[in-house]
Amino acid sequence: MSRRVIALVSMLATAAMVLAACGGAATTAPTQAPAATSAPASTSVEIFSWWVGPGEADGLAAMVKVFNAQYPSITFVNAAVSGGAGTNAKAVLATRLAAGDAPDSWQAHAGQETIANYVAANQVLPLDDLFTSTGFANVLPKTLLPLISKDGHPYSVPVNIHRSNVLWYSPAVLKAAGVTANPKTDFKTWDDFFAACDKVKAAGKTCLALGAPWTAIHLFENVMIGTIGPDKWNGLWTTPPTTDWKGADVQKGLANFAKALSYTNSDASTMSDWQPASKLVANGDAAFNVMGDWAYGYFANPAPNGLALKPHVDFDWAVSPGTYGVFNFLSDSFVLPANAKHPDATVAWLTVAASKAGQEAFNPLKGSICARTDCNQALFSEYSQDAAKDWSSNQVVGSLMHGVVAAPAWATKIGTAIGLFQASKMDAAAQADLQTALAAACASDGTCK
Ligand code: GAL
C-alpha cells in the first residue's frame, strides 16, 4: 500500500473516530456476530439494497445464485428499493430501522456512512468472528479495514471497490464534432475539457450528460477533485480541515462546477436516475457522462439489463478531467443488524458476500472490482482489469456522494446546497452563496470551527 493511501486511511480513520465519538457511539463493542457455520435450518434472509435498475441488478442476481447453491435451505428475499445511489432506499431503510423492523442485512457504504451512522447508532454488530473464521481479514486491502472498523472491530463486509471518477464518452460524437483531444491523456484540467465541450456544443450535441439530482453531487466531487487536486480534497474532510472551505481553491472548484453544469442537458432535473444520462452517450446524443463504473455494467452487459455495447467502439472511458493518477473510490458493504431476526441466515449471506466465489460472480457484472485482493483477473473486462491496476497504484481518495468522507447528515446538507445552486442562475453571486452554504455545512457537522 502506498504512503499516500496510508495517509488517506489514517485521515479517514481519525475522522471516523471523532465523528463516531460525537455521535455517542458505545464505548464497548456489543455482542459479536456468530461465526460462519454450516447451513442453518430452513429459514429466510431479507437483503436490502438499491440494486434494481439496468446495470445494477445483474451483479446481485449472480451473487444470489452462489448463495442459493451454498445455502439451499435459506430463502433469499430481495428487498431492493430502486433509485441510484440509494436515494430512495436509504429513506426507506431509516424508517424501517426507526420502527425496529430491520432487514436481515443491508447495503452500506464503507466509510462514514457505516461508521458515523449505523455503528454510532449501535444498529449493527461487529463481525470479528466472521472475519477470522472465513480468513476475510487476510485478503482485504489494508486500505479498507479502517473504513469499516471502530475500535479495531470490523462492522461490515465490503463486496467491491467502485470508481467514481470515470468519464464515459462516445467516440463517434467526438469524431463528428472534430474533437481531436484524447480524453485518456489530454484533459489535464477542466479548461481542457471545456474546450472540447465548445466543439461538441457547436456540433449541436449535449457535451456533458447529467441525470437525476444526486448525479450533480457525483459530478461536484469529481470537478472539485479535478480542480483542487487529491491532497486538497482530502484536506476538506480532516478535523479540522486543512483545506479552507471558504478559500480560493474551493472557489475555483465551484466556478468549474458551474461551467460544467452549463454544458449539461436542460432536462437533467426530469431524469429518473443515472441510466438515462448514460444512455444519452450510448445513443450518440451526448459526448460525455461523469459516472461511477457501475455504468460499465449498463453499457456492456447483455440485454435485457445491459445495452450490450462494444467497448472502445460504441463507448469508451477515461478518468474525469484533472484526475489522471487519482482513484476516487467507494465500496459497497453489508452489515449484521443488532437484534437480527435471522442471525445465522445473515451470517450465511455475509459469508457468501465475503467469499471469493461470491465476489467473482458479483463484480464482473457490476462493473466494480473485488474488495478481496485474490480474485481471478481473467474473469474481468479490460475496463475492470485497468481499474484494478489503478486501485493499487493511483492516489486513492474517498467519495462524498457514496458515503466515504462525510457523515450522512453533513453530506445531505451539501446535497441540499448543490440542489439550490442548480436552481439558481449559477453566476458568481450564486457561487459565493454555495460556498457559504458549504462552509456552514462543515461547521454544522462540527468539523469546521
Ligand atoms: C452507489 C453504489 C453503487 C451503485 C450506484 C448507483 O452508491 O455504491 O453500487 O449502485 O450507487 O446506483
Side-chain angles (χ1 to χ4, degrees):
M1 187 168 50
S2 77
R3 270 192 309 254
R4 287 176 302 188
V5 171
I6 293 170
L8 167 79
V9 167
S10 81
M11 181 271 287
L12 292 170
T14 307
M17 283 187 294
V18 170
L19 287 161
C22 294
T27 46
T28 52
T31 316
Q32 297 261 332
T37 52
S38 51
S42 175
T43 183
S44 65
V45 67
E46 186 195 21
I47 303 301
F48 189 96
S49 76
W50 53 87
W51 295 327
V52 178
E56 304 265 52
D58 288 343
L60 177 62
M63 193 153 60
V64 172
K65 206 167 161 196
V66 174
F67 178 79
N68 287 339
Q70 288 184 15
Y71 296 95
S73 61
I74 307 177
T75 306
F76 180 88
V77 179
N78 189 351
V81 172
S82 67
T87 40
N88 305 325
K90 286 181 194 170
V92 172
L93 178 63
T95 306
R96 287 190 57 172
L97 292 180
D101 177 31
D104 291 309
S105 185
W106 65 84
Q107 180 183 353
H109 286 124
Q112 293 302 296
E113 185 177 314
T114 294
I115 301 299
N117 197 23
Y118 307 123
V119 175
N122 296 319
Q123 289 165 326
V124 294
L125 294 181
L127 297 165
D128 302 61
D129 291 349
L130 180 107
F131 272 53
T132 307
S133 65
T134 59
F136 193 44
N138 304 329
V139 291
L140 207 57
K142 302 281 173 285
T143 321
L144 266 183
L145 264 177
L147 299 178
I148 53 153
S149 300
K150 182 170 177 286
D151 300 335
H153 301 284
Y155 279 86
S156 70
V157 170
V159 289
N160 66 2
I161 303 292
H162 264 309
R163 187 175 205 166
S164 165
N165 61 320
V166 188
L167 181 70
W168 305 99
Y169 61 94
S170 161
V173 171
L174 294 189
K175 192 162 180 232
V179 174
T180 50
N182 179 354
K184 293 181 196 292
T185 49
D186 296 340
F187 291 161
K188 296 192 173 69
T189 66
W190 276 87
D191 282 338
D192 296 334
F193 176 78
F194 297 146
C197 271
D198 287 333
K199 293 190 178 166
V200 174
K201 204 173 162 184
K205 300 274 184 178
T206 294
C207 185
L208 183 57
L210 189 70
W214 71 264
T215 68
I217 308 165
H218 186 104
L219 177 65
F220 166 85
E221 67 182 29
N222 290 305
V223 174
M224 196 54 82
I225 295 166
T227 305
I228 71 177
D231 294 332
K232 286 181 177 163
W233 171 256
N234 286 342
L236 290 170
W237 313 106
T238 54
T239 306
T242 53
T243 302
D244 184 3
W245 281 95
K246 296 179 183 160
D249 291 312
V250 171
Q251 187 182 11
K252 173 84 177 103
L254 296 183
N256 277 345
F257 180 51
K259 190 150 186 192
L261 287 173
S262 77
Y263 289 105
T264 59
N265 39 305
S266 56
D267 61 353
S269 64
T270 65
M271 291 216 166
S272 57
D273 210 338
W274 62 269
Q275 291 96 339
S278 296
K279 197 156 190 211
L280 290 178
V281 172
N283 289 350
D285 292 325
F288 301 102
N289 177 221
V290 173
M291 189 38 60
D293 48 12
W294 42 89
Y296 187 88
Y298 179 44
F299 286 136
N301 287 354
N305 268 335
L307 298 172
L309 301 183
K310 211 163 175 246
H312 303 306
V313 178
D314 301 325
F315 73 105
D316 213 331
W317 59 85
V319 294
S320 53
T323 66
Y324 298 122
V326 178
F327 194 114
N328 180 16
F329 102 101
L330 57 122
S331 170
D332 295 301
S333 67
F334 284 90
V335 293
L336 171 69
N339 307 316
K341 290 175 196 153
H342 309 107
D344 288 343
T346 301
V347 168
W349 167 253
L350 295 176
T351 302
V352 170
S355 71
K356 191 165 183 281
Q359 298 206 359
E360 285 181 344
F362 174 77
N363 287 296
L365 291 165
K366 188 66 171 61
S368 39
I369 57 174
C370 289
R372 295 177 66 103
T373 51
D374 60 350
C375 284
N376 177 3
Q377 289 305 305
L379 298 169
F380 287 80
S381 67
E382 179 200 345
Y383 168 78
S384 294
Q385 290 184 18
D386 282 355
K389 281 185 209 134
D390 285 354
W391 165 245
S392 55
S393 62
N394 280 191
Q395 180 164 359
V396 174
V397 299
S399 166
L400 162 68
M401 179 62 219
H402 308 283
V404 182
V405 289
W410 183 5
T412 299
K413 287 203 171 79
I414 295 174
T416 303
I418 289 172
L420 286 171
F421 178 67
Q422 279 182 281
S424 75
K425 284 190 193 150
M426 300 197 289
D427 56 8
Q431 290 164 34
D433 287 348
L434 174 56
Q435 192 164 6
T436 302
L438 294 179
C442 179
S444 76
D445 180 73
T447 303
C448 290
K449 293 288 166 261

